[in-house]
Amino acid sequence: HVQLVESGGGSVQAGGSLRLSCVASAYTVRSYCMGWFRQAPGKEREEVATISRDGETTYADSVKGRFTISKDNAQNTLNLQMNSAKPEDSAMYYCAGQWSYPCTNEWTFWGQGTQVTVS
């Protein structure tokens, strides 16, 4: 069955950088739309960034120009480079996948999450 496993979370000072990764099994990262979401305590889950099969990307306004989503097809991994981190970026970050390759709003697979804390 499909598994998505995130890593790379941790604590960083404001202005610093983190790189999140999501390794997929039983699922080919390059073939489908994937995304990163986040949820802070007491807040709704927020879509952070998506990337389609063809490499088209979307970003939440709050992270545009600071975060970059990418795929490493050789490693079957989805990445999120977080630069110029802000305290409001603190949240649990989740990797998600779907069976579509232009992106839709139907996310089928989720990772267990990785915590990011910016202070």
Side-chain angles (χ1 to χ4, degrees):
H1 65 284
V2 174
Q3 280 192 309
L4 303 176
V5 180
E6 302 96 334
S7 62
S11 296
V12 64
Q13 290 189 336
S17 298
L18 276 177
R19 185 175 181 84
L20 307 184
S21 294
C22 170
V23 178
S25 58
Y27 182 81
T28 305
V29 164
R30 70 173 182 269
S31 297
Y32 303 104
C33 173
M34 296 194 74
W36 286 97
F37 291 75
R38 67 186 181 188
Q39 187 167 21
K43 294 189 176 182
E44 293 188 354
R45 186 174 62 197
E46 173 189 20
E47 180 181 289
V48 175
T50 67
I51 182 167
S52 72
R53 182 185 68 177
D54 296 331
E56 294 181 358
T57 58
T58 67
Y59 295 94
D61 287 343
S62 58
V63 307
K64 278 181 183 176
R66 301 188 298 118
F67 290 10
T68 302
I69 188 171
S70 63
K71 293 178 179 179
D72 183 335
N73 294 332
Q75 299 296 322
N76 205 37
T77 298
L78 177 73
N79 297 310
L80 183 70
Q81 179 67 42
M82 304 170 58
N83 296 331
S84 302
K86 301 178 179 180
E88 52 263 43
D89 294 325
S90 297
M92 185 71 79
Y93 282 71
Y94 298 92
C95 167
Q98 54 184 255
W99 288 123
S100 179
Y101 47 87
C103 295
T104 72
N105 290 325
E106 296 185 16
W107 297 93
T108 305
F109 309 107
W110 295 88
Q112 83 289 350
T114 187
Q115 180 68 42
V116 171
T117 303
V118 184
S119 58

